[in-house]
Amino acid sequence: MTSNKPPIDIFKPFLSLKKTYKGGITKAELASEGGKIYKLSSNENIFGASPMAIEAIKNNLGALNEYPDRTDQRLRDQLHVFYKEELSPGHFIGGPSGSEVLDMTIRAFMDHDLECIVSTPFFLPYQMFSRWQNAKIIDVPMDPDDYSIDADGLLAAITDKTRLLFLTSPNNPTGTYIPKATLDKIVYNVPDHVVIVMDEVYFHFADAPDFSTALPYVKEGRKIIALNSFSKAFGLASMRIGYAYTTPEISAYIRQIAKPFLINRLSLEAAIAALKDEAFLKMTRDTIIEERKWLYQQLDLLGIQYWKSQANFILIQPPIADNLFAEAMLKRGVMVRPSANFGSPGNIRVTIGDREANEAYISAIKSCVTD
Ligand SMILES: Cc1ncc(COP(=O)(O)O)c(C=O)c1O
């Protein structure tokens, strides 16, 4: 049958994205030519996962045929202990990765005709997931020199349609943080209809005296959702598990859209065990902070420009074009990540490893410059 009617487009126009976030490639995807690869491209934990989490996974392998817990309740109970009972289980939302909790948050708050605010350079899923809700994304870029946020600009960009304002501290890909005074200015001046999403997945690595998480604000009852992950300091990126904390009202609101059995058994047990493994967390944090200082010294000696970081990675300005640099480093066995897609063109984000990986990285830069 033929018809003169124009074809009906079955695809939603706002889902036809040109720019989408893919995440860094894995070692397995890399056509390796043999030799050791140091993966310093995805801000993972170079020390592996918490041994207690690994044990918990092994102990649960016999029950893969059974459904896991229906809800995130046991994870929230353990988070209550981890946060030294400063927050109640009702403050938390658990989910299969920080990204998934972010998506739940955006689905719960964004809609066509509503707006959210981001600051370039930022973690692209804020924009990607908001587009999936056909929402409008307003960008108030950071200062491109020091990557500080524009607090006045962010407040001025708020309209009656704004629902979410994204802040990231420490920020990906820059490693920079939002000082407490700047946070205060934003938190105490946003109107009541704006919820701040404070992405703090790298907070374990921060040591600046004026660094703050969202904890004091959430305890005061401010409308802030603090996004967290088990992928970084806890070393569980493969398990896809994360959480947020916010006011009990917002937490209960978002949890309404959690699907039954959302968190798989192994991830849930691994996360609960990892929260109890203080020694692994401390070793990870202390070593990364030490190695960060060592890397600053090495980069200074090489005359490479970088931004001081509060995270487990450092953004550098490579001595040659970013893509050529990433390729040259890969040939030398070091995977690094160009940050142009995040809105930081020409720069490269490099995860902090152990001393062996960091030495391999520094000697690879030296040989890129001299060869
Ligand atoms: C700033 C930031 N937020 C959130 C996430 C999400 O973490 P995940 O989905 O692995 O829990 C990441 C991961 O790289 C990140 O860098």
Side-chain angles (χ1 to χ4, degrees):
M1 225 169 64
T2 54
S3 151
N4 291 332
K5 279 207 303 189
I8 297 170
D9 189 359
I10 60 167
F11 299 114
K12 295 180 177 179
F14 59 89
L15 286 183
S16 311
L17 302 181
K18 284 190 205 83
K19 193 166 141 191
T20 185
Y21 178 76
K22 292 216 182 73
I25 59 169
T26 62
K27 283 189 205 167
E29 283 171 282
L30 190 71
S32 169
E33 290 163 15
K36 187 156 186 177
I37 296 280
Y38 295 97
K39 189 179 178 214
L40 302 180
S41 48
S42 293
N43 303 338
E44 294 150 341
N45 190 329
I46 193 131
F47 309 107
S50 142
M52 284 168 64
I54 295 172
E55 196 56 30
I57 292 171
K58 285 185 188 153
N59 290 341
N60 279 275
L61 286 175
L64 295 186
N65 54 317
E66 293 172 20
Y67 278 98
D69 290 18
R70 284 174 300 171
T71 72
D72 59 352
Q73 184 65 51
R74 282 196 303 126
L75 178 59
R76 291 194 281 121
D77 291 344
Q78 196 60 48
L79 284 164
H80 161 68
V81 177
F82 183 76
Y83 279 83
K84 312 219 174 329
E85 305 190 359
E86 288 192 73
L87 297 172
S88 71
H91 281 92
F92 296 99
I93 307 158
S97 79
S99 300
E100 195 62 34
V101 178
L102 174 70
D103 187 40
M104 284 164 69
T105 302
I106 292 174
R107 277 192 284 129
F109 282 101
M110 297 313 300
D111 205 344
H112 72 98
D113 206 31
L114 291 179
E115 298 170 4
C116 62
I117 304 176
V118 296
S119 294
T120 291
F122 60 91
F123 182 58
L124 277 186
Y126 310 151
Q127 182 183 60
M128 184 175 158
F129 300 169
S130 300
R131 281 202 180 140
W132 289 348
Q133 302 310 313
N134 202 7
K136 190 166 166 197
I137 298 124
I138 310 289
D139 187 13
V140 179
M142 292 180 191
D143 180 322
D145 291 328
D146 63 5
Y147 289 127
S148 58
I149 59 161
D150 175 2
D152 291 320
L154 287 166
L155 291 169
I158 293 172
T159 71
D160 286 355
K161 293 182 173 180
T162 310
R163 289 296 174 277
L164 298 179
L165 190 164
F166 292 98
L167 298 177
T168 317
S169 184
N171 187 42
N172 180 8
T174 61
T176 48
Y177 73 106
I178 306 174
K180 175 85 167 58
T182 312
L183 271 183
D184 282 352
K185 182 171 184 179
I186 297 173
V187 172
Y188 296 129
N189 287 294
V190 287
D192 212 37
H193 68 277
V194 175
V195 178
I196 296 173
V197 177
M198 168 90 171
D199 184 337
E200 51 185 48
V201 308
Y202 298 101
F203 88 88
H204 300 276
F205 307 109
D207 64 351
D210 58 347
F211 174 84
S212 175
T213 64
L215 186 61
Y217 306 115
V218 171
K219 278 169 65 183
E220 283 174 11
R222 302 276 161 186
K223 291 200 184 80
I224 300 198
I225 302 170
L227 186 71
N228 280 271
S229 172
F230 285 90
S231 300
K232 310 298 173 185
F234 294 104
L236 292 173
S238 257
M239 300 308 293
R240 313 310 298 131
I241 179 99
Y243 69 95
Y245 58 87
T246 179
T247 66
E249 186 192 20
I250 295 178
S251 164
Y253 171 68
I254 296 176
R255 274 190 273 113
Q256 289 180 108
I257 59 168
K259 293 164 192 139
F261 310 111
L262 189 61
I263 305 176
N264 81 65
R265 175 183 299 270
L266 300 185
S267 303
L268 183 72
E269 298 299 347
I272 290 172
L275 286 170
K276 297 176 190 164
D277 195 344
E278 285 173 19
F280 180 78
L281 202 55
K282 184 172 177 342
M283 178 279 290
T284 296
R285 173 185 155 87
D286 291 352
T287 317
I288 293 301
I289 291 174
E290 266 316 296
E291 289 301 305
R292 200 161 60 198
K293 287 188 208 141
W294 185 80
L295 281 167
Y296 290 160
Q297 287 167 6
Q298 302 306 309
L299 293 168
D300 284 340
L301 285 173
L302 289 171
I304 303 268
Q305 207 211 312
Y306 60 90
W307 284 265
K308 282 263 165 75
S309 171
Q310 287 288 287
N312 66 341
F313 55 86
I314 301 174
L315 186 73
I316 66 161
Q317 213 172 63
I320 54 173
D322 53 353
N323 283 330
L324 293 179
F325 180 78
E327 260 172 50
M329 295 295 280
L330 193 53
K331 279 200 191 119
R332 291 161 177 81
V334 182
M335 288 170 79
V336 297
R337 186 89 180 262
S339 58
N341 278 349
F342 294 79
S344 172
N347 299 323
I348 295 278
R349 192 192 69 192
V350 188
T351 307
I352 300 169
D354 54 10
R355 184 58 61 89
E356 181 188 318
N358 294 334
E359 276 175 349
Y361 158 47
I362 292 296
S363 40
I365 301 189
K366 284 184 190 154
S367 96
C368 280
V369 177
T370 50
D371 285 3

